[in-house]
Amino acid sequence: MLGNKAVARGMYEAGCRVVSSYPGTPSTEITEEAALYDEIYCEWAPNEKVALEVAHGASLGGVRSACAMKHVGLNVAADPLFTVSYQGVNAGFLICVADDPGMHSSQNEQDSRHYARAAKVPMLEPSDSEEALLFTKRAFEISERFNTPVLLKMCTRVSHSQSVVETGERIVPPQVPYVKDPAKVMMTVNSRNAHVRVEERTRELIAYGESCDLNRVEMGDTSLGIITSSTSYQYAKEVFGEEVSVLKLGLTYPLPEKLIIDFASKVERVVVLEELDPILEDHCRRLGIKVSGKDIFPICGEFSQNLVRECLGKEIPETLRIQDAIPGRPPVMCAGCPHRGIFYVLHKKDCMVYGDIGCYTLGALSPLNAMDLNVCMGASCSGLHGFNKALGAEGERKSVGVIGDSTFIHSGITGITDIAYNMSNSTVIILDNSITGMTGHQQNPTTGKNLRGEPAGKVDLEALCRALGFDRVRVVDPYDLEQVETALEEELAAEAPSIIISRRPCVMIKGTVHGEPLKPKEDKCVGCKACMKIGCPAISVKDGKVKIDTTLCIGCKVCTRMCKFGALQA
Amino acid sequence: MTKNIMIVGVGGQGTLLASKLLGYVLLGQGYDVKVSEVHGMSQRGGSVVTYVRYGEKVYSPVIDRGEADMIISFEKLEAARWLEYLKPGGLIITNTQEMEPMPVVTGAAVYPEELVEKMRAAGARVDAEDFLALAVQAGSPKAVNIVLLGRFSRYFPEITEEDWQQAITAVVPKKFLELNRRAFAMGKGA
């Protein structure tokens, strides 16, 4: 069972009744799998902050609840996280967060374990699917026993690996009655008292961690003792098997003290094996234990068994090689992707493009090269405004923000509000492809459907932008390059804030109507490769003639505008 | 002893279904199995890899350089890309289809020639064939994943035809069942 599916199964078995999340690789399947159980109410929220608040609200209402997000999503949800820690729960409340060491699908590789310590919230770290299921169930128990939210930290290799699990029955605890309690209002004296309780709770959790079965000692040879958690435990066992002694930590905040001191005293040398930051290592040092950690292992990137072998002086397997350079195969926008037309025009006009997070970040790659900057969800709008405040009219006439529909709802609305309110003549392009694409086609508030695909409320993007103070709002079809170019020229020149909505559904959405694949007229092709400038994976030029891969081409005809010789006419 | 199989290809070629089916079959043989894949950015026409590990007790979810017993490749360049993950003397089953990556399409790089011969010379056993053509013959180019598994089954006589058929029935959507049965037989028989 996939690690993320095992978390969903754990939620189901624990009697969880409400899940609210925002999609983000590698966490997305937790919520999609939970939604397959009719007994759990599941929703996509506009962003992670909202999701956490919704799920916590359900906990206060008396039912077990959860939310799931990727590591950078927890930054968005950090505000409620810190105070929910003070306020506590009514029924069990779980926050799943999935890190991405190696940045397979992320813009940074921050270590979420810092949040557990900073917000003083217990964190469980499973190392495979079986533990993902068991730890999820245990998290609800810990949450209720200690009156605290609980973080479940996943990572790409636990979330997206399948391993054997044993499933159980669903047991639904009775709904906890909601009772009004003035101490739950987090202000002044209540918050001061709550902080004292949180510190006391942390001490109780340390005591719990000393003897609970989430932390486990596997004694082997005592010449080397490895302290580890999560997927790093699997690499240690892969390399050493029973050869060494291992302290495997499942509860990684708060960390036990006696257990670690005791383990360290039984082995000759202690090594801390953890991906990203030295959190277990720093804790060991505070306890006065002499350890090796980041002096031998890297802080950056993902671990593997060969890395463990290399850093601990074991032999690495022999490998095979050929001499040729193997060309890279970066991801590309799909054939017929509606974003392509926009990025082609932006490239042609040599605009400064402040991009955002989604499939369209691929617009940065060759041959379109049409993205200058990106930071985080929503920064395309607010960052552009700041950029234009620095450069004035010079920036305003050349620069655009580009943001997808789901990302716009997530964090773009406040950014464009700033543009309208504080008046820069900024131009933001909303790429409305009617879906959350990159994470695997989730619905969002602009699509008119909910997580289960049923009819739902629908944001009217044009009306929303007008209501926020934009007088200039226009809609273009990204397949119509002339229309896009005209709109872009006019809006960049306009002495007013403006929004261009590029509207066409993602070609990968089921039911999107595709045209006939193009049949190039080879006799008209002069081999000039002008058609290659749009970076469509369906187009290639072989032996001086254009070829179309008919299994990929969906007949969007954007390429036909590139060809002066009529070789690509349908 | 843990055995390691890698399934590599280009995003969209159906590698995930192949790994799901393979994992299902191996579990049925009583092995501990781990299957690891990466979703998201890498799926958009990029290079994709899935690790399948099985044995008595499997720890790491990934396969490292020099560890793979076998690589099943949906595209020739991808087989070469992951060659250094193969053990000396390990087996590569590769589709001979060539899909040019964007750097080759734009002329920034070249698609290397005679890759099969070069991989053999480096010390790999290579079973190369136009599996895409077999898939088309079976009824759809999309069935290339099952054609490749059909070929794979030749090297695992201990897994019975019945077990494979049962796995295909369990994993493949019903309306494509007949197509995939044909595809499996073509890969195995060719």
Side-chain angles (χ1 to χ4, degrees), chain A residues 5-76:
Chain A
K5 189 173 177 175
V7 172
R9 179 72 200 182
M11 290 172 177
Y12 170 77
E13 291 182 12
C16 177
R17 282 159 55 181
V18 172
V19 176
S20 180
S21 303
Y22 185 82
T25 314
S27 71
T28 311
E29 300 83 4
I30 294 172
T31 308
E32 290 180 326
E33 291 290 340
L36 300 178
Y37 298 106
D38 289 339
E39 296 89 339
I40 309 177
Y41 167 80
C42 288
E43 66 171 31
W44 292 128
N47 66 30
E48 295 85 355
K49 175 184 183 312
V50 173
L52 191 150
E53 291 159 351
V54 168
H56 182 243
S59 156
L60 294 179
V63 302
R64 286 187 168 183
S65 62
C67 56
M69 59 200 68
K70 68 183 294 173
H71 58 327
V72 286
L74 192 54
N75 301 337
V76 179

Side-chain angles (χ1 to χ4, degrees), chain B residues 60-134:
Chain B
S60 172
V62 298
I63 297 169
D64 217 326
R65 287 178 174 79
E67 288 190 335
D69 296 280
M70 190 184 282
I71 295 175
I72 302 171
S73 177
F74 285 56
E75 199 272 352
K76 208 163 50 177
L77 184 65
E78 294 308 309
R81 183 185 314 286
W82 297 97
L83 175 68
E84 57 177 337
Y85 282 72
L86 194 71
K87 283 178 184 166
L91 175 70
I92 296 176
I93 301 174
T94 185
N95 189 8
T96 51
Q97 186 188 3
E98 292 185 3
M99 292 169 78
E100 295 191 343
M102 203 44 79
V104 172
V105 171
T106 58
V110 289
Y111 196 107
E113 290 180 350
E114 294 174 350
L115 282 173
V116 170
E117 293 73 15
K118 286 171 183 166
M119 290 191 287
R120 281 193 184 124
R125 289 184 293 139
V126 185
D127 180 351
E129 195 161 329
D130 188 350
F131 292 105
L132 184 66
L134 293 180

Side-chain angles (χ1 to χ4, degrees), chain A residues 410-425:
Chain A
H410 180 286
S411 288
I413 299 171
T414 43
I416 66 158
T417 303
D418 197 39
I419 291 172
Y421 171 51
N422 287 310
M423 312 245 287
S424 60
N425 300 328

Side-chain angles (χ1 to χ4, degrees), chain A residues 46-273:
Chain A
N47 66 30
E48 295 85 355
K49 175 184 183 312
V50 173
L52 191 150
E53 291 159 351
V54 168
H56 182 243
S59 156
L60 294 179
V63 302
R64 286 187 168 183
S65 62
C67 56
M69 59 200 68
K70 68 183 294 173
H71 58 327
V72 286
L74 192 54
N75 301 337
V76 179
D79 193 2
L81 172 71
F82 281 68
T83 305
V84 161
S85 171
Y86 279 25
Q87 196 177 44
V89 303
N90 195 15
F93 173 46
L94 172 66
I95 302 160
C96 307
V97 57
D99 282 12
D100 190 16
M103 295 176 275
H104 298 281
S105 318
S106 307
Q107 69 270 38
N108 77 27
E109 59 181 344
Q110 66 187 50
D111 190 329
S112 293
R113 295 177 300 169
H114 290 292
Y115 274 111
R117 185 168 174 220
K120 301 169 195 282
V121 170
M123 173 176 270
L124 306 188
E125 278 190 77
S127 71
D128 61 15
S129 299
E130 174 73 7
E131 286 187 351
L133 196 162
L134 290 173
F135 286 17
T136 299
K137 291 169 78 171
R138 183 66 70 82
F140 285 106
E141 291 165 20
I142 292 172
S143 172
E144 285 165 4
R145 178 170 159 190
F146 294 94
N147 189 17
T148 178
V150 175
L151 283 156
L152 183 82
K153 201 214 87 175
M154 303 288 282
C155 64
T156 300
R157 295 303 178 187
V158 177
S159 283
H160 286 169
S161 293
Q162 301 171 48
S163 58
V164 180
V165 301
E166 202 170 308
T167 57
E169 294 297 310
R170 175 171 164 94
I171 298 166
V172 185
Q175 186 152 353
V176 187
Y178 171 71
V179 180
K180 182 168 175 158
D181 174 4
K184 286 274 186 195
V185 181
M186 287 296 115
M187 52 189 270
T188 58
V189 68
N190 287 344
S191 297
R192 284 183 207 120
N193 291 338
H195 188 186
V196 173
R197 278 201 308 277
V198 165
E199 296 305 324
E200 200 176 308
R201 178 178 81 199
T202 302
R203 284 192 292 278
E204 289 166 11
L205 278 159
I206 292 171
Y208 173 77
E210 301 288 2
S211 58
C212 76
D213 60 359
L214 295 165
N215 299 329
R216 166 172 97 224
V217 173
E218 298 173 8
M219 286 312 282
D221 190 286
T222 55
S223 60
L224 179 61
I226 298 177
I227 300 176
T228 187
S229 69
S230 185
T231 191
S232 296
Y233 163 79
Q234 305 290 354
Y235 302 138
K237 294 296 281 188
E238 181 72 33
V239 172
F240 293 105
E242 314 297 316
E243 276 174 45
V244 297
S245 297
V246 175
L247 170 56
K248 183 197 176 292
L249 297 166
L251 177 64
T252 51
Y253 185 82
L255 286 161
E257 294 173 357
K258 287 194 206 92
L259 181 67
I260 293 176
I261 293 170
D262 184 52
F263 175 78
S265 73
K266 289 179 182 159
V267 296
E268 287 165 41
R269 180 189 175 205
V270 183
V271 166
V272 178
L273 184 65

